[in-house]
Amino acid sequence: MIDTRLKTFLMLCKIRNYRKTAEALHMTQPAVTQHIHYLEQAYNCRLFHYENRILTLTKQGKILQTYAQNMCYQEKQLQLKLQQHEGRTLRIGVTKTVGGFEIDEKITNYLKVKGNNICVVMDNTDHLLQLLSEGELDFALVEGTFDCNQYASRTYKKEEFVGVCDKSHPFANKIIPAQDMFKEHLFLREEGSGTRHIFESILKEYNHDLNEFSAVTTISDFGLMMHLIKELKGITFAYKSVLKHDYDLCSFHIQDYIIYHQFNYVYLNNPVSLEAVDYFDQF
């Protein structure tokens, strides 16, 4: 069993406020303070300090956070294994690009094994990493960036990052000068999504930004975005795999912009998480 004081510590790491942590855990604020003081005395180090009146983890606090997250995750896995007699259940997170266009065959093959079950959470990269840190996922399959110091990872595949438009758009199947794309109506995923972060990073690398486009519309739903791109003759940027099921869409390339990016398995750095990745990856 995980020490209750470690669970209090992890909640404070998440909320960064003693009063709100106490409310979330149905405790008194002095009890939260006592739990943190106990851990600081036990490990002989400060776990939190204030920077500009904001509660912040110390270097030692970040180390304890990583270990505590792993302990909570492994306890949840133990509970699942003790209750399951045949097969296994995985809890995985996937971004909308990966979930919509990349892993349907893997999940199908995985579920063909008797007793296997799976819970799939589809969301943007930032939220999936949060769930991973909280021990709610065995691993996440993402295309966005992540902190390599906080998570372990393995490459799933490399994929070309391209412009996407309707097949009747003047850009379809062409290589265009960079300045031409700024005349277009750009559709993008919400902040926190991997594809948006990648595209903004590419623009920054070439000394451009989103304000240069004639119009920018944010859409969190991929299906709606593709519908609007067809109807309004807009453009977006995404992995080439999004085209494989929609024959009304085409790719285009920006001159001198040749970009490949990785899809990664991201997981907590412990043997149980690694074994979950190994098991799923074989399918």
Side-chain angles (χ1 to χ4, degrees):
M1 299 289 290
I2 302 299
D3 192 308
T4 302
R5 287 164 290 211
L6 281 176
K7 294 181 179 179
T8 302
F9 166 74
L10 286 175
M11 185 62 73
L12 185 58
C13 289
K14 178 181 178 181
I15 297 177
R16 304 298 175 95
N17 181 286
Y18 279 88
R19 179 181 60 80
K20 292 181 179 179
T21 297
E23 291 174 355
L25 295 174
H26 306 290
M27 299 168 60
T28 64
Q29 185 171 330
V32 173
T33 302
Q34 288 174 6
H35 282 191
I36 301 305
H37 283 171
Y38 174 89
L39 293 173
E40 290 181 330
Q41 290 175 357
Y43 294 115
N44 193 30
C45 64
R46 290 289 302 277
L47 299 174
F48 294 94
H49 64 96
Y50 283 94
E51 288 184 3
N52 299 322
R53 302 178 68 180
I54 298 174
L55 190 65
T56 305
L57 280 164
T58 63
K59 179 181 178 181
Q60 292 82 1
K62 291 178 180 178
I63 293 172
L64 180 59
Q65 181 187 29
T66 298
Y67 275 86
Q69 287 170 342
N70 275 299
M71 291 169 65
C72 287
Y73 166 74
Q74 291 185 71
E75 182 185 41
K76 288 179 181 178
Q77 284 300 106
L78 174 61
Q79 291 170 345
L80 287 172
K81 287 191 175 184
L82 291 175
Q83 295 167 10
Q84 191 165 342
H85 302 293
E86 188 176 6
R88 66 181 302 165
T89 297
L90 288 177
R91 302 166 301 155
I92 74 172
V94 296
T95 57
K96 294 177 182 179
T97 299
V98 176
F101 307 100
E102 282 293 331
I103 62 164
D104 49 346
E105 186 175 343
K106 268 191 178 297
I107 291 176
T108 300
N109 291 334
Y110 167 85
L111 289 173
K112 287 179 179 178
V113 176
K114 183 180 179 181
N116 275 2
N117 204 349
I118 194 166
C119 174
V120 181
V121 177
M122 191 180 299
D123 212 317
N124 65 45
T125 300
D126 285 356
H127 188 230
L128 293 178
L129 293 178
Q130 179 184 333
L131 292 175
L132 191 62
S133 296
E134 294 170 359
E136 297 301 321
L137 299 175
D138 295 305
F139 60 84
L141 191 50
V142 305
E143 76 271 17
T145 57
F146 55 90
D147 185 352
C148 296
N149 294 317
Q150 186 174 356
Y151 305 102
S153 66
R154 178 195 296 174
T155 300
Y156 173 65
K157 67 179 292 188
K158 284 188 176 181
E159 180 82 9
E160 189 177 9
F161 197 74
V162 298
V164 177
C165 63
D166 183 74
K167 64 181 180 181
S168 64
H169 193 284
F171 289 179
N173 298 316
K174 292 182 180 178
I175 299 174
I176 65 165
Q179 61 266 25
D180 286 4
M181 69 176 169
F182 296 114
K183 303 172 186 177
E184 301 299 314
H185 188 159
L186 175 68
F187 290 85
L188 276 184
R189 289 275 312 285
E190 76 283 1
E191 291 188 17
S193 74
T195 50
R196 180 179 181 129
H197 180 78
I198 291 165
F199 183 60
E200 288 183 322
S201 298
I202 293 167
L203 288 178
K204 185 176 180 180
E205 182 180 348
Y206 288 89
N207 299 311
H208 294 294
D209 62 51
L210 295 178
N211 293 324
E212 297 177 58
F213 285 88
S214 65
V216 177
T217 299
T218 299
I219 305 286
S220 63
D221 181 79
F222 221 94
L224 176 59
M225 181 189 293
M226 294 307 163
H227 172 76
L228 293 174
I229 285 171
K230 295 173 191 176
E231 293 297 317
L232 301 176
K233 307 307 178 192
I235 64 171
T236 191
F237 288 83
Y239 288 98
K240 200 168 185 177
S241 58
V242 306
L243 302 171
K244 67 180 182 180
H245 296 310
D246 195 328
Y247 300 108
D248 292 325
L249 296 174
C250 288
S251 66
F252 66 91
H253 293 78
I254 306 299
Q255 190 173 347
D256 299 324
Y257 287 44
I258 301 175
I259 300 125
Y260 283 83
H261 202 80
Q262 294 181 174
F263 294 149
N264 290 295
Y265 290 110
V266 182
Y267 51 96
L268 296 178
N269 192 10
N270 63 66
V272 179
S273 297
L274 177 58
E275 192 273 334
V277 171
D278 285 339
Y279 183 73
F280 183 77
D281 194 46
Q282 69 180 313
F283 295 98

